[in-house]
Amino acid sequence: MLTRREFIRVGCTAGTATVAGCSWAGGQSGSSGGSADEIVIGSKTFAENRILGYMAYEALSELTDLRVVDKMGYGATSAAWEGLTEGPLDLYWEYTGTLRLTHPPARESLITDPTEQADAARESTESEHDLVVLNRAPFNNTYTIVTTSEWTDEVGINSLGGLTDHVNAGNTDQTIALGPSFYDRADGWPGLLDHYGFDSAAVEEWDENVEVVSLGLTYEFLEIDRAQLGMGFLTDGRIDIDGLVPLADDESFWPIYSPCPCLSASIAESNPEVREALDRIGPSIDGAEQIRELNAAVTIDGRSAQRVAREHLDAAGVI
């Protein structure tokens, strides 16, 4: 069995999550990614971020005269951020919780109101980087730990607090599948263990049953019973379709994660129509239920993220 130190690596292909090392290199620190008449749009590797990236791609293709360059699936969080802040990306969608708690200048205090957090994330990001943070989408794509109804029925656990008690009592034989970024992040695995008070000795023993896999595989591991627990996102379409059970964050560890376009400030200044177009996208998404449907169209039905994005923009009257 793979431990958390062994990664299942997959290529940087459409619809497949991957590790940060699969990024596309280029550009110079602090510079705009493209030439004066183009904008380079990237995304993280998972379906939702690709859909959002293609919403930006389609909107800017229709509503501006810039040549839009597709770098979707650029890499995991650290790679996408580096691509934006050091080149070659001009734009990708980041989440407010990640902006506030992970990217510099990282803060530690949580803000539970989504609007206040978005404002705080915008202020801190724009004060430290040559970026502008635009209108967020009104849903919360927070992390979650999911399991099967069979496992919850067997062990009687439906919350992270209950899981903590279970593991601390010496029950470390269940396998948990985690994404690579989640494993390293302060608002991921290490922070979760600390916040909930998992016993260090129990965690060390449990380590043998922790598998670090690409994001697309966490649900697959649950489906084939290779893992009993897995990292997920509350907006994943597979949660409802596969009948998975998110464990309640009963001690409020995670903040709000609402996605918003992060754009090169120089692009925004020289092309105000870019900002105007992007600001129309986030509010067009009608909450978590709609984004779950869009995500499921890609991850379950196998449709193109670009086609799903364009159809949404057409239906919402953005383009």
Side-chain angles (χ1 to χ4, degrees):
M1 177 176 290
L2 297 176
T3 70
R4 69 183 187 182
R5 297 179 181 86
E6 297 173 281
F7 289 75
I8 294 176
R9 298 183 182 274
V10 294
C12 298
T13 55
T16 302
T18 186
V19 296
C22 294
S23 61
W24 178 81
Q28 297 180 357
S29 176
S31 65
S32 174
S35 63
D37 62 347
E38 72 177 26
I39 182 169
V40 182
I41 303 178
S43 78
K44 303 185 191 186
T45 52
F46 58 95
E48 179 176 294
N49 209 251
R50 296 176 66 89
I51 293 168
L52 292 168
Y54 276 121
M55 286 185 185
Y57 180 95
E58 292 294 328
L60 296 182
S61 295
E62 288 287 334
L63 302 176
T64 76
D65 294 327
L66 293 175
R67 185 172 75 88
V68 186
V69 179
D70 179 351
K71 291 297 176 185
M72 304 307 167
Y74 185 86
T77 296
S78 58
W81 181 253
E82 182 178 350
L84 181 64
T85 56
E86 300 184 16
L89 301 182
D90 295 313
L91 165 70
Y92 85 96
W93 289 70
E94 189 52 280
Y95 295 82
T96 53
T98 303
L99 285 172
R100 179 166 172 78
L101 299 177
T102 301
H103 298 317
R107 314 296 190 194
E108 294 184 358
S109 60
L110 294 184
I111 299 176
T112 57
D113 181 83
T115 299
E116 291 180 10
Q117 175 168 260
D119 291 342
R122 177 180 296 108
E123 180 180 356
S124 62
T125 300
E126 293 183 349
S127 68
E128 294 289 332
H129 305 281
D130 187 27
L131 300 171
V132 293
V133 180
L134 305 180
N135 284 347
R136 67 182 180 91
F139 63 83
N140 178 21
N141 183 14
T142 189
Y143 285 114
T144 184
I145 299 297
V146 295
T147 185
T148 63
S149 58
E150 292 80 8
W151 194 80
T152 59
D153 290 342
E154 177 185 346
V155 299
I157 292 172
N158 57 20
S159 69
L160 292 174
L163 179 63
T164 305
D165 294 339
H166 183 71
V167 171
N168 287 351
N171 300 292
T172 59
D173 57 342
Q174 61 275 322
T175 298
I176 184 168
L178 307 176
S181 293
F182 180 83
Y183 167 67
D184 288 323
R185 292 168 57 133
D187 56 344
W189 189 236
L192 178 68
L193 295 176
D194 179 68
H195 182 84
Y196 273 90
F198 282 85
D199 180 75
S200 58
V203 168
E204 184 176 356
E205 185 175 339
W206 193 17
D207 179 69
E208 294 302 316
N209 292 317
V210 175
E211 299 203 32
V212 180
V213 304
S214 65
L215 290 180
L217 290 180
T218 57
Y219 298 107
E220 301 296 335
F221 274 43
L222 289 167
E223 184 177 2
I224 64 175
D225 200 30
R226 185 167 175 174
Q228 292 73 53
L229 298 158
M231 186 220 83
F233 299 98
L234 277 182
T235 57
D236 283 339
R238 290 195 63 168
I239 290 178
D240 292 335
I241 292 174
D242 293 350
L244 299 175
V245 179
L247 297 183
D249 182 14
D250 50 328
E251 295 185 15
S252 302
F253 169 60
W254 282 303
I256 302 295
Y257 294 87
S258 297
C260 46
C262 293
L263 173 67
S264 162
S266 60
I267 293 282
E269 182 177 355
S270 59
N271 300 275
E273 70 277 14
V274 170
R275 183 170 191 152
E276 293 171 6
L278 293 174
D279 269 339
R280 299 176 62 184
I281 298 174
S284 76
I285 302 173
D286 187 21
E289 182 176 351
Q290 184 173 47
I291 195 64
R292 278 197 295 267
E293 292 175 356
L294 298 176
N295 288 337
V298 175
T299 59
I300 305 299
D301 301 336
R303 301 189 62 215
S304 158
Q306 185 170 6
R307 174 56 60 184
V308 169
R310 184 171 182 88
E311 288 177 357
H312 167 78
L313 296 181
D314 281 334
V318 175
I319 60 174

